[in-house]
Amino acid sequence: MSLLANILGFATFGLAARFGQLGIQKRNLFSNPGGHLVAIATFGFAGYWAYQWDIRAAELLADKRAEILKHRRQEIAKAEQLGASQLSKE
């Protein structure tokens, strides 16, 4: 998902949450647009943070997978070397 779509999605959810909040309180939905802007900005920032976190998590997972693969290859090479040395002793 792109950064813009993530931010817009979270901001839209923030606006919907604000409308839900005012609806529960039975207040006019358009009496205080500043509150709407705060909700949109807050949830938009949360969307930006979630996008950045997703990118960083993908990088960490890729690094960890590469490290695990390297260790597996080393273990396989060690086992093959040990097996070859066992065969040559017999």
Side-chain angles (χ1 to χ4, degrees):
M1 191 157 49
S2 71
L3 175 62
L4 182 61
N6 212 17
I7 290 173
L8 290 177
F10 272 75
T12 303
F13 181 79
L15 183 61
R18 176 71 176 160
F19 282 153
Q21 175 191 25
L22 293 176
I24 289 171
Q25 295 175 356
K26 296 184 181 179
R27 292 174 46 198
N28 184 5
L29 297 181
F30 300 106
S31 65
N32 184 10
H36 300 324
L37 293 177
V38 169
I40 289 170
T42 302
F43 278 83
F45 177 73
Y48 172 78
W49 181 82
Y51 179 81
Q52 296 299 328
W53 179 74
D54 189 40
I55 297 285
R56 180 68 180 137
E59 290 172 358
L60 289 173
L61 285 173
D63 291 345
K64 191 65 173 177
R65 284 185 183 129
E67 183 180 328
I68 289 171
L69 183 61
K70 180 181 141 192
H71 286 297
R72 283 182 183 167
R73 287 183 178 160
Q74 288 175 350
E75 290 297 320
I76 289 171
K78 229 188 266 185
E80 287 175 349
Q81 184 180 15
L82 181 64
S85 68
Q86 293 292 332
L87 285 175
S88 65
K89 288 182 182 178
E90 294 176 359

